[in-house]
Amino acid sequence: MTEELDNSVRELADIPAVEVISRAAVMLMSSAAEKLGLADEDPETSTRRDLDEARRVITALAGLVTASVEYLGPHAGPIREGLQSLQRAFRESSAHPDEPGKGPGEKYTGPVY
């Protein structure tokens, strides 16, 4: 068991930081999309929809992207676009949308319209 754990740790150490950051961003994006109900045919009636949870995940994603954008190189653009799409989807899903600059993650990214 210890040898298997040592092997997995060594393998993780071999993965470039940009790939680790990108994978984390994709995981957060997927989680936010699920919590917005976007994976279902009708997000409005999704049983998985949880805007409070979505807000938290989108804010975490915004913090990660903002803190690591200089290291993402060509991955930065698509990840930022994905984040902005989720921020807009959150605003559209909200019964009482936050004012610009107050939505999830917008303290890190600036207002998203």
Side-chain angles (χ1 to χ4, degrees), residues 34-103:
E34 289 281 342
K35 292 175 187 316
L36 288 170
L38 299 177
D40 294 328
E41 198 170 306
D42 182 9
E44 296 290 323
T45 60
S46 173
T47 57
R48 295 180 237 188
R49 189 171 179 184
D50 185 336
L51 295 183
D52 187 47
E53 287 284 305
R55 177 184 295 277
R56 294 172 189 189
V57 176
I58 293 169
T59 300
L61 174 61
L64 173 66
V65 171
T66 301
S68 60
V69 71
E70 68 182 288
Y71 307 115
L72 292 174
H75 303 281
I79 291 173
R80 279 180 146 168
E81 289 171 15
L83 169 59
Q84 289 174 353
S85 294
L86 290 166
Q87 288 171 312
R88 282 192 289 276
F90 182 91
R91 179 166 278 116
E92 292 170 7
S93 297
S94 298
H96 304 296
D98 299 314
E99 49 186 271
K102 302 289 184 183

Side-chain angles (χ1 to χ4, degrees), residues 7-48:
N7 287 337
S8 68
V9 171
R10 278 189 227 119
E11 290 173 13
L12 185 58
D14 293 337
I15 300 172
V18 67
E19 190 173 335
V20 173
I21 296 166
S22 297
R23 285 184 186 186
V26 168
M27 182 184 302
L28 290 167
M29 283 184 204
S30 297
S31 176
E34 289 281 342
K35 292 175 187 316
L36 288 170
L38 299 177
D40 294 328
E41 198 170 306
D42 182 9
E44 296 290 323
T45 60
S46 173
T47 57
R48 295 180 237 188

